[in-house]
CSV table of all heavy atoms in Angstrom, one decimal:
chain,number,residue,atom,x,y,z
B,389,GLY,N,-7.7,11.8,6.4
B,389,GLY,CA,-7.5,11.1,7.7
B,389,GLY,C,-8.6,10.1,8.0
B,389,GLY,O,-8.4,8.9,8.2
B,390,LEU,N,-9.9,10.6,8.0
B,390,LEU,CA,-11.0,9.7,8.4
B,390,LEU,C,-11.4,8.8,7.2
B,390,LEU,O,-11.8,7.6,7.5
B,390,LEU,CB,-12.2,10.6,8.8
B,390,LEU,CG,-12.1,11.3,10.1
B,390,LEU,CD1,-13.3,12.0,10.5
B,390,LEU,CD2,-11.7,10.3,11.2
B,391,TYR,N,-11.1,9.2,6.0
B,391,TYR,CA,-11.3,8.3,4.8
B,391,TYR,C,-10.4,7.1,5.0
B,391,TYR,O,-10.9,6.0,4.9
B,391,TYR,CB,-11.0,9.1,3.5
B,391,TYR,CG,-10.8,8.2,2.3
B,391,TYR,CD1,-11.9,7.6,1.6
B,391,TYR,CD2,-9.6,7.9,1.9
B,391,TYR,CE1,-11.7,6.8,0.5
B,391,TYR,CE2,-9.4,7.0,0.8
B,391,TYR,CZ,-10.5,6.5,0.1
B,391,TYR,OH,-10.3,5.7,-1.0
B,392,LEU,N,-9.1,7.3,5.3
B,392,LEU,CA,-8.2,6.2,5.4
B,392,LEU,C,-8.5,5.4,6.7
B,392,LEU,O,-8.5,4.2,6.6
B,392,LEU,CB,-6.8,6.8,5.5
B,392,LEU,CG,-6.2,7.3,4.2
B,392,LEU,CD1,-4.9,8.0,4.4
B,392,LEU,CD2,-6.0,6.3,3.1
B,393,ALA,N,-8.9,6.1,7.8
B,393,ALA,CA,-9.2,5.3,9.0
B,393,ALA,C,-10.4,4.3,8.7
B,393,ALA,O,-10.3,3.2,9.1
B,393,ALA,CB,-9.7,6.3,10.1
B,394,GLN,N,-11.4,4.8,8.0
B,394,GLN,CA,-12.5,3.9,7.7
B,394,GLN,C,-12.1,2.7,6.8
B,394,GLN,O,-12.4,1.6,7.2
B,394,GLN,CB,-13.7,4.7,7.0
B,394,GLN,CG,-15.0,3.9,6.8
B,394,GLN,CD,-16.0,4.6,6.0
B,394,GLN,OE1,-15.7,5.1,4.9
B,394,GLN,NE2,-17.1,4.8,6.6
B,395,LYS,N,-11.3,3.0,5.9
B,395,LYS,CA,-10.8,2.0,4.9
B,395,LYS,C,-10.0,0.9,5.7
B,395,LYS,O,-10.1,-0.3,5.5
B,395,LYS,CB,-10.0,2.5,3.8
B,395,LYS,CG,-10.8,3.4,2.8
B,395,LYS,CD,-11.6,2.6,1.9
B,395,LYS,CE,-12.4,3.5,0.9
B,395,LYS,NZ,-13.4,2.8,0.1
B,396,PHE,N,-9.0,1.4,6.5
B,396,PHE,CA,-8.1,0.6,7.2
B,396,PHE,C,-8.9,-0.3,8.2
B,396,PHE,O,-8.7,-1.5,8.3
B,396,PHE,CB,-7.1,1.4,8.0
B,396,PHE,CG,-6.1,2.0,7.1
B,396,PHE,CD1,-5.4,3.1,7.6
B,396,PHE,CD2,-5.7,1.5,5.9
B,396,PHE,CE1,-4.4,3.7,6.8
B,396,PHE,CE2,-4.8,2.1,5.1
B,396,PHE,CZ,-4.1,3.3,5.6
B,397,LEU,N,-9.9,0.3,8.9
B,397,LEU,CA,-10.7,-0.5,9.9
B,397,LEU,C,-11.5,-1.5,9.1
B,397,LEU,O,-11.7,-2.6,9.7
B,397,LEU,CB,-11.6,0.5,10.7
B,397,LEU,CG,-10.8,1.3,11.7
B,397,LEU,CD1,-11.6,2.5,12.2
B,397,LEU,CD2,-10.3,0.4,12.8
B,398,ARG,N,-12.1,-1.2,8.0
B,398,ARG,CA,-12.9,-2.1,7.3
B,398,ARG,C,-12.1,-3.3,6.8
B,398,ARG,O,-12.5,-4.5,6.9
B,398,ARG,CB,-13.6,-1.5,6.1
B,398,ARG,CG,-14.8,-0.7,6.5
B,398,ARG,CD,-15.5,-0.1,5.3
B,398,ARG,NE,-16.7,0.6,5.7
B,398,ARG,CZ,-17.4,1.4,4.9
B,398,ARG,NH1,-17.0,1.6,3.6
B,398,ARG,NH2,-18.4,2.0,5.3
B,399,LEU,N,-10.8,-3.0,6.4
B,399,LEU,CA,-9.9,-4.1,6.0
B,399,LEU,C,-9.7,-5.1,7.2
B,399,LEU,O,-9.4,-6.3,7.0
B,399,LEU,CB,-8.6,-3.6,5.6
B,399,LEU,CG,-8.4,-3.0,4.1
B,399,LEU,CD1,-7.1,-2.4,3.9
B,399,LEU,CD2,-8.7,-4.1,3.1
B,400,CYS,N,-9.7,-4.5,8.4
B,400,CYS,CA,-9.5,-5.4,9.6
B,400,CYS,C,-10.8,-5.9,10.2
B,400,CYS,O,-10.8,-6.4,11.3
B,400,CYS,CB,-8.8,-4.6,10.7
B,400,CYS,SG,-7.2,-4.0,10.1
B,401,GLY,N,-11.9,-5.8,9.5
B,401,GLY,CA,-13.2,-6.3,10.0
B,401,GLY,C,-13.9,-5.4,11.0
B,401,GLY,O,-14.8,-5.8,11.7
B,402,GLY,N,-13.4,-4.1,11.1
B,402,GLY,CA,-13.9,-3.2,12.0
B,402,GLY,C,-14.8,-2.2,11.4
B,402,GLY,O,-15.1,-2.2,10.2
B,403,SER,N,-15.1,-1.1,12.1
B,403,SER,CA,-15.9,-0.1,11.6
B,403,SER,C,-15.7,1.2,12.4
B,403,SER,O,-15.1,1.2,13.5
B,403,SER,CB,-17.4,-0.4,11.6
B,403,SER,OG,-17.8,-0.6,13.0
B,404,ILE,N,-16.2,2.3,11.9
B,404,ILE,CA,-16.1,3.6,12.6
B,404,ILE,C,-17.3,4.4,12.4
B,404,ILE,O,-18.0,4.3,11.4
B,404,ILE,CB,-14.9,4.4,12.0
B,404,ILE,CG1,-14.6,5.7,12.8
B,404,ILE,CG2,-15.0,4.6,10.5
B,404,ILE,CD1,-13.3,6.4,12.4
B,405,ARG,N,-17.8,5.1,13.5
B,405,ARG,CA,-18.9,5.9,13.5
B,405,ARG,C,-18.5,7.3,14.0
B,405,ARG,O,-17.7,7.5,14.9
B,405,ARG,CB,-20.0,5.3,14.4
B,405,ARG,CG,-20.6,4.0,14.0
B,405,ARG,CD,-21.9,3.7,14.8
B,405,ARG,NE,-21.8,3.8,16.2
B,405,ARG,CZ,-21.3,2.9,17.1
B,405,ARG,NH1,-20.9,1.7,16.6
B,405,ARG,NH2,-21.3,3.1,18.4
B,406,PHE,N,-19.2,8.3,13.5
B,406,PHE,CA,-18.9,9.6,13.8
B,406,PHE,C,-20.2,10.4,14.2
B,406,PHE,O,-21.2,10.3,13.5
B,406,PHE,CB,-18.3,10.3,12.5
B,406,PHE,CG,-17.9,11.7,12.7
B,406,PHE,CD1,-16.6,12.0,12.9
B,406,PHE,CD2,-18.8,12.8,12.5
B,406,PHE,CE1,-16.1,13.3,13.0
B,406,PHE,CE2,-18.3,14.1,12.6
B,406,PHE,CZ,-17.0,14.4,12.9
B,407,HIS,N,-20.2,11.0,15.3
B,407,HIS,CA,-21.3,11.8,15.8
B,407,HIS,C,-20.9,13.1,16.3
B,407,HIS,O,-20.0,13.2,17.2
B,407,HIS,CB,-22.1,11.1,16.8
B,407,HIS,CG,-23.3,11.8,17.3
B,407,HIS,ND1,-24.5,12.0,16.5
B,407,HIS,CD2,-23.5,12.5,18.4
B,407,HIS,CE1,-25.3,12.7,17.2
B,407,HIS,NE2,-24.8,13.1,18.3
B,408,SER,N,-21.5,14.2,15.8
B,408,SER,CA,-21.0,15.5,16.3
B,408,SER,C,-22.2,16.4,16.6
B,408,SER,O,-23.3,16.3,15.9
B,408,SER,CB,-20.2,16.1,15.1
B,408,SER,OG,-19.5,17.3,15.6
B,409,THR,N,-22.1,17.3,17.5
B,409,THR,CA,-23.1,18.3,17.9
B,409,THR,C,-22.4,19.7,17.7
B,409,THR,O,-21.4,20.0,18.4
B,409,THR,CB,-23.6,18.1,19.3
B,409,THR,OG1,-24.0,16.8,19.4
B,409,THR,CG2,-24.8,19.0,19.6
B,410,PRO,N,-22.9,20.5,16.9
B,410,PRO,CA,-22.3,21.9,16.7
B,410,PRO,C,-22.2,22.6,18.0
B,410,PRO,O,-23.2,22.6,18.8
B,410,PRO,CB,-23.2,22.6,15.7
B,410,PRO,CG,-23.9,21.5,14.9
B,410,PRO,CD,-24.0,20.3,15.9
B,411,GLY,N,-21.1,23.1,18.3
B,411,GLY,CA,-20.9,23.9,19.6
B,411,GLY,C,-20.5,23.0,20.8
B,411,GLY,O,-20.1,23.5,21.8
B,412,LYS,N,-20.7,21.7,20.7
B,412,LYS,CA,-20.5,20.9,21.8
B,412,LYS,C,-19.3,19.8,21.7
B,412,LYS,O,-18.7,19.5,22.6
B,412,LYS,CB,-21.8,20.1,22.1
B,412,LYS,CG,-22.8,21.0,22.7
B,412,LYS,CD,-23.9,20.1,23.4
B,412,LYS,CE,-24.8,21.1,24.1
B,412,LYS,NZ,-26.2,20.5,24.3
Side-chain angles (χ1 to χ4, degrees):
Chain B
L390 289 180
Y391 164 79
L392 290 172
Q394 187 185 55
K395 293 281 184 192
F396 289 157
L397 288 166
R398 279 182 178 169
L399 278 175
C400 298
S403 63
I404 182 169
R405 294 193 309 275
F406 183 98
H407 178 75
S408 188
T409 308
K412 289 199 173 156

